[in-house]
Amino acid sequence: SVCFSGVCGGEFSILRSPQSVVFRDGSWPIPGERIPDVAALTMGFSVEEDLPWPGLGVGDLFHRPQATVLVTVKGVDKLPVKGFSYPIENAIPFSLDSVANAIHTLFSEEMPVVLQLAPSEERVYMVGKANTVFEDLSVTLRQLRNRLFQDNSILSTLPLNSLSRNNEVDLLFLSELQVLHDIASLLSRHKHLAKDHSPDLYSLELSGLEEVGKRYGEDSQQFKDASQILVDSLQKFADEMFNLYGGNAVVEVVAVKEFNSPLSRKTRSILQASQSKNENPYNLAYPYNYDYSVIFNIVLWMMIGLALAVIVISYNLWNMDPGYDSIIYRMTNQKIRMD
């Protein structure tokens, strides 16, 4: 795909999606900073700015997906995965924090599953029921390495080809694939969480393929084998998550060679407690809420309508003709007069 309006540095692919979410086949570039907005819109959430991107259709507004799974793969411009793919324009770092916050706000009482994980950076964020479902998930490099050499790891079934069990770079790449397998496996033991009414969010960042490319070179057999193993693992992971949610989940993959600028964000612990909001020492106004204009118009026109209704009713009552009294009132008067 050729991008004329900017620098294209990656690919955004839709591996699986339900019928209620409509993606159109085409090569329309998607701005890198708007990928979180695509995830929000597919889940039925509103975004601050309109997204004039033809790749996403309206879909069924009354049947929203129960989960969104977004896997970011660093170190490659594109992956030969099945599904719709779109070039990324201006591949800058992004996060799904805004989508996670929307889920927290709307479904706080139902404790939805929110999992954001970057295994190679040991960065993990779990909220809600994810803490109980994925409490056995390997999240540190030591845990990842030990997990690979257990009896039920993917090393016993995965064809390594030119990759080695004795190389740290290869083990890092394989441990990320083990995390994908374990997420689906752990969720399959808690299938009831995939059937509740609150939407779930999974955001995973894989950089093992990038390290394989740096270690062996992108023309090496190791890099080619790792790319094929990754594609097969992603497709299997997408099918498993899609089936666990009863065909009502969106699974997306972002493949990017390298981001144009580093992502500055606060790291968060796996057991991070909810911090109390600091009081505002400067007595500043609240941030602008983009729903303000909608609420203002609803309240304004409702008050105007009620005021007009009161005026019209009062006017008619004041000028009512006594001769137009009801038949009941007149019959009652006649009977009283006859007596």
Side-chain angles (χ1 to χ4, degrees):
S1 302
V2 181
C3 189
F4 298 100
S5 57
V7 180
C8 282
E11 196 169 58
F12 177 57
S13 302
I14 313 298
L15 272 63
R16 300 298 297 267
S17 65
Q19 294 181 351
S20 59
V21 179
V22 178
F23 285 98
R24 299 190 180 98
D25 190 8
S27 57
W28 301 288
I30 174 72
E33 67 274 11
R34 302 307 303 271
I35 291 177
D37 290 342
V38 174
L41 290 172
T42 55
M43 299 188 76
F45 302 139
S46 59
V47 295
E48 296 181 357
E49 299 180 16
D50 292 336
L51 180 63
W53 183 56
L56 180 62
V58 176
D60 189 347
L61 299 177
F62 299 99
H63 297 87
R64 296 287 86 188
Q66 284 298 105
T68 290
V69 184
L70 178 61
V71 183
T72 301
V73 178
K74 298 167 64 177
V76 63
D77 280 333
K78 60 175 61 180
L79 290 170
V81 293
K82 300 176 183 178
F84 298 123
S85 295
Y86 310 93
I88 297 177
E89 175 187 0
N90 188 23
I92 63 173
F94 63 88
S95 74
L96 297 186
D97 290 347
S98 59
V99 185
N101 292 335
I103 294 176
H104 296 328
T105 303
L106 297 174
F107 301 92
S108 58
E109 297 180 358
E110 300 183 34
M111 299 287 285
V113 175
V114 176
L115 172 64
Q116 295 175 273
L117 180 64
S120 61
E121 299 179 15
E122 297 187 344
R123 189 176 73 243
V124 63
Y125 178 51
M126 298 185 191
V127 173
K129 297 175 182 175
N131 283 318
T132 56
V133 177
F134 302 113
E135 59 182 353
D136 297 329
L137 193 65
S138 301
V139 292
T140 66
L141 294 177
R142 180 183 295 273
Q143 290 174 343
L144 293 169
R145 181 184 176 88
N146 294 337
R147 176 70 182 90
L148 273 179
F149 291 98
Q150 294 177 2
D151 294 335
N152 59 342
S153 75
I154 61 174
L155 288 181
S156 58
T157 58
L158 203 65
L160 300 183
N161 297 334
S162 59
L163 299 180
S164 171
R165 294 169 175 255
N166 302 318
N167 192 296
E168 290 297 327
V169 173
D170 298 7
L171 291 177
L172 174 64
F173 167 75
L174 294 170
S175 65
E176 293 182 341
L177 304 186
Q178 181 68 55
V179 170
L180 295 180
H181 176 270
D182 288 346
I183 288 175
S185 177
L186 291 171
L187 186 61
S188 66
R189 302 177 194 171
H190 303 80
K191 292 182 179 179
H192 62 283
L193 297 181
K195 299 177 181 179
D196 57 14
H197 298 291
S198 59
D200 300 334
L201 179 67
Y202 302 84
S203 176
L204 311 171
E205 186 175 313
L206 310 181
S207 57
L209 185 63
E210 182 182 30
E211 297 301 323
V212 171
K214 291 179 180 178
R215 172 68 173 81
Y216 300 105
E218 296 183 8
D219 295 330
S220 63
Q221 188 61 40
Q222 287 89 344
F223 185 80
K224 294 177 182 177
D225 290 342
S227 299
Q228 187 57 49
I229 293 173
L230 177 60
V231 168
D232 295 340
S233 298
L234 285 175
Q235 204 72 55
K236 181 181 178 183
F237 175 69
D239 294 340
E240 290 176 344
M241 296 297 286
F242 187 75
N243 293 329
L244 284 171
Y245 280 92
N248 196 18
V250 179
V251 185
E252 305 161 335
V253 171
V254 171
V256 59
K257 182 73 174 178
E258 59 182 5
F259 288 114
N260 294 339
S261 60
L263 174 63
S264 58
R265 61 181 295 172
K266 297 178 182 178
T267 57
R268 292 174 287 189
S269 169
I270 181 175
L271 298 176
Q272 178 189 24
S274 58
Q275 300 176 351
S276 59
K277 295 183 178 179
N278 296 327
E279 294 183 0
N280 188 352
Y282 304 110
N283 196 27
L284 300 178
Y286 292 105
Y288 178 74
N289 188 341
Y290 285 89
D291 293 332
Y292 173 81
S293 60
V294 178
I295 298 173
F296 177 81
N297 274 276
I298 292 174
V299 174
L300 173 65
W301 293 109
M302 185 178 293
M303 295 301 295
I304 291 176
L306 290 174
L308 290 175
V310 170
I311 293 173
V312 171
I313 293 171
S314 302
Y315 177 82
N316 283 278
L317 287 174
W318 185 263
N319 295 281
M320 185 165 49
D321 189 349
Y324 288 149
D325 290 340
S326 66
I327 186 68
I328 299 174
Y329 180 73
R330 289 191 304 223
M331 289 298 294
T332 306
N333 280 347
Q334 289 177 2
K335 288 183 178 180
I336 292 175
R337 290 170 185 170
M338 289 174 64
D339 292 340

